[in-house]
Amino acid sequence: GQNIDQPTEMTATEGAIVQINCTYQTSGFNGLFWYQQHAGEAPTFLSYNVLDGLEEKGRFSSFLSRSKGYSYLLLKELQMKDSASYLCAVRDRGVISSGSARQLTFGSGTQLTVLP
Amino acid sequence: DSGVTQTPKHLITATGQRVTLRCSPRSGDLSVYWYQQSLDQGLQFLIQYYNGEERAKGNILERFSAQQFPDLHSELNLSSLELGDSALYFCASSPHSGGANEQFFGPGTRLTVL
């Protein structure tokens, strides 16, 4: 099974930097994903880490440490539109069959509010 | 627009009834996933299909069932509905090989059980 923890809520100011942490426990790790979800809308893919280190994509970066079971999402130059829930999700190794993807387990999400 | 479509967008029904939610994956994606998202539960994985076959099961109730058809669209059937089944139901699809295999989510169906 898997256990994923992330803070419930965070608040930051427009233009600032915020770091959203995620810790996980899994029996077979095969990748960590971050998704953004605005209220009532579909989650949208932000980033993917499978090896240790930092992945940068514009204003968003994601870091992974597999030995510590830890990841963070870093959002720079915050904008009002970044107010949303940020979901950490772990993919397990599962049963590897040709061409099939493995299921994701999502954390409860971190609700980020960006203030003017 | 993720390329994943879901119908209907909204569904209001009564307890004890049965409904069917429909999902069409992105062109070329063979895997379809169903999720339930309620206010107090977060995003819960229900079931996965790959090229017509069931591949993984999560927290799916026995009252719920799904299938994936030869044209790769999928349907989620919810029966004997209870008030607690009110939630957003998302479908997602992913490529079948290579890379991150990230899941692309449809816009969801909001189910209200009265």
Side-chain angles (χ1 to χ4, degrees), chain B residues 50-94:
Chain B
Y50 172 75
N51 202 20
E53 293 186 2
E54 182 185 304
R55 277 300 167 91
K57 257 186 176 180
N59 301 320
I60 188 166
L61 300 172
E62 286 190 10
R63 300 183 285 110
F64 296 0
S65 65
Q67 54 184 328
Q68 186 179 29
F69 296 86
D71 66 353
L72 300 178
H73 90 272
S74 178
E75 293 181 356
L76 179 68
N77 301 296
L78 316 177
S79 62
S80 302
L81 285 168
E82 302 175 357
L83 295 177
D85 298 327
S86 295
L88 263 173
Y89 290 84
F90 288 105
C91 164
S93 73
S94 69

Side-chain angles (χ1 to χ4, degrees), chain B residues 14-112:
Chain B
T15 54
Q17 295 299 303
R18 171 190 170 95
V19 297
T20 297
L21 312 183
R22 182 188 170 103
C23 167
S24 292
R26 294 187 325 152
S27 176
D29 285 356
L30 299 181
S31 279
V32 168
Y33 307 78
W34 285 98
Y35 292 88
Q36 179 192 56
Q37 188 175 41
S38 52
L39 284 175
D40 58 346
Q41 290 285 327
L43 200 60
Q44 300 288 317
F45 168 71
L46 296 178
I47 197 165
Q48 177 202 355
Y49 279 82
Y50 172 75
N51 202 20
E53 293 186 2
E54 182 185 304
R55 277 300 167 91
K57 257 186 176 180
N59 301 320
I60 188 166
L61 300 172
E62 286 190 10
R63 300 183 285 110
F64 296 0
S65 65
Q67 54 184 328
Q68 186 179 29
F69 296 86
D71 66 353
L72 300 178
H73 90 272
S74 178
E75 293 181 356
L76 179 68
N77 301 296
L78 316 177
S79 62
S80 302
L81 285 168
E82 302 175 357
L83 295 177
D85 298 327
S86 295
L88 263 173
Y89 290 84
F90 288 105
C91 164
S93 73
S94 69
H96 63 284
S97 63
N101 276 354
E102 67 264 32
Q103 296 181 19
F104 296 86
F105 284 77
T109 294
R110 181 173 294 279
L111 174 66
T112 303

Side-chain angles (χ1 to χ4, degrees), chain A residues 14-103:
Chain A
E14 194 174 14
I17 299 173
V18 70
Q19 178 175 312
I20 303 174
N21 296 323
C22 171
T23 58
Y24 65 89
Q25 295 174 318
T26 179
S27 54
F29 178 82
N30 193 248
L32 187 141
F33 296 77
W34 284 95
Y35 280 81
Q36 180 192 61
Q37 186 180 25
H38 287 97
E41 297 182 8
T44 55
F45 170 75
L46 289 178
S47 69
Y48 166 71
N49 296 71
V50 68
L51 300 175
D52 291 352
L54 188 68
E55 294 284 340
E56 296 186 79
K57 192 186 288 187
R59 294 190 298 116
F60 294 0
S61 303
S62 57
F63 172 82
L64 175 68
S65 169
R66 289 173 295 170
S67 62
K68 296 181 179 178
Y70 169 68
S71 173
Y72 67 73
L73 179 70
L74 194 70
L75 293 78
K76 302 176 186 176
E77 301 169 14
L78 281 172
Q79 302 175 10
M80 299 296 289
K81 67 178 182 179
D82 297 329
S83 291
S85 182
Y86 291 85
L87 309 175
C88 171
V90 173
R91 183 170 66 195
D92 65 19
R93 194 167 299 278
V95 176
I96 299 176
S97 303
S98 175
S100 71
R102 278 75 72 185
Q103 68 179 81

